[in-house]
Amino acid sequence: MSSLTALFWFHGKEMTVFASNLSEIKTEDGFTLIADKLLSDFNREEFDCIILPGISDPFPVTEDEEVIRFLKRFIGDEDIVIGAISSSPMLLAKAGLLKDKKYTSGILEETFEEFKYLPKENVVRKPVVKDGNLITAIGFAFREFAVAVAQSVGVDCPDKIFQGVTREYTEEELTFYQSDMYKD
């Protein structure tokens, strides 16, 4: 998220963290944070995008009905940019936002079999996928994700503002299995 928040900060975009409660949240990177506001305080007219960060353990939050109910509000709302990286597209799927959208993620193949709400037929094996107002990315493509989201909300930045952008990948390289996690 730091690449995206750096672009937003540098270009004067205000950022607000929302959550279903105001208790401490442990981020994927090990930071502890407390949300600025509750999801129930979200005013659609005040925001041009929603960003769902990477989640190291997405399963508990997919069961948070308040989060899912919040996301369902945006079905059919093509005027708000929604960015989701790593495994957070699972939340979009659970809320029904991926039903007719192409997307990518770092979701393991076994997860598609276990959670039928994930539309596997819509997966595109690329680092970043933009389909209308929806931008999704595999976790390692955080720089490209940051640029795609920032440009989608009017931030004027070059495509390669960050060094170390990803290369071209085959579909096979972007299909992840649980067994791959244990290879040397």
Side-chain angles (χ1 to χ4, degrees):
M1 292 308 302
S2 63
S3 295
L4 180 56
T5 58
L7 285 174
F8 280 178
W9 178 85
F10 185 77
H11 290 276
K13 284 196 69 64
E14 187 175 328
M15 296 171 274
T16 305
V17 176
F18 287 87
S20 60
N21 63 65
L22 297 179
S23 61
E24 291 183 346
I25 302 166
K26 190 65 100 173
T27 70
E28 183 176 64
D29 298 317
F31 295 108
T32 301
L33 64 88
I34 298 175
D36 299 311
K37 295 183 178 184
L38 294 170
L39 291 172
S40 59
D41 296 327
F42 184 86
N43 181 346
R44 170 63 185 91
E45 289 73 37
E46 295 177 5
F47 297 92
D48 57 2
C49 70
I50 297 169
I51 307 301
L52 302 175
I55 310 167
S56 55
D57 183 7
F59 304 108
V61 73
T62 61
E63 299 305 317
D64 186 332
E65 287 303 317
E66 191 168 347
V67 170
I68 302 307
R69 190 171 35 256
F70 171 77
L71 291 172
K72 284 181 178 182
R73 293 173 48 184
F74 303 102
I75 294 174
D77 184 347
E78 296 289 322
D79 294 326
I80 192 164
V81 173
I82 300 174
I85 190 167
S86 185
S87 59
S88 65
M90 286 182 71
L91 299 171
L92 299 178
K94 181 101 184 246
L97 289 160
L98 297 182
K99 184 177 180 187
D100 298 315
K101 297 276 191 175
K102 298 293 183 193
Y103 72 100
T104 192
S105 75
I107 297 171
L108 299 171
E109 289 301 297
E110 294 85 355
T111 306
F112 288 107
E113 302 305 318
E114 188 173 346
F115 298 95
K116 298 300 182 190
Y117 60 81
L118 290 164
K120 187 173 179 182
E121 66 278 5
N122 296 350
V123 172
V124 177
R125 307 295 180 180
K126 293 187 175 186
V128 177
V129 172
K130 183 173 185 204
D131 187 345
N133 65 317
L134 185 68
I135 301 166
T136 54
I138 296 172
F140 69 77
F142 57 91
R143 295 173 196 93
E144 295 85 344
F145 175 73
V147 169
V149 170
Q151 289 175 344
S152 292
V153 296
V155 172
D156 184 23
C157 64
D159 291 345
K160 297 193 180 204
I161 192 168
F162 299 110
Q163 291 188 16
V165 294
T166 56
R167 60 178 174 76
E168 293 294 319
Y169 294 88
T170 66
E171 284 192 26
E172 183 179 280
E173 289 176 300
L174 298 178
T175 304
F176 307 106
Y177 296 92
Q178 188 170 3
S179 58
D180 292 339
M181 297 171 55
Y182 304 105
K183 289 183 179 177
D184 290 340

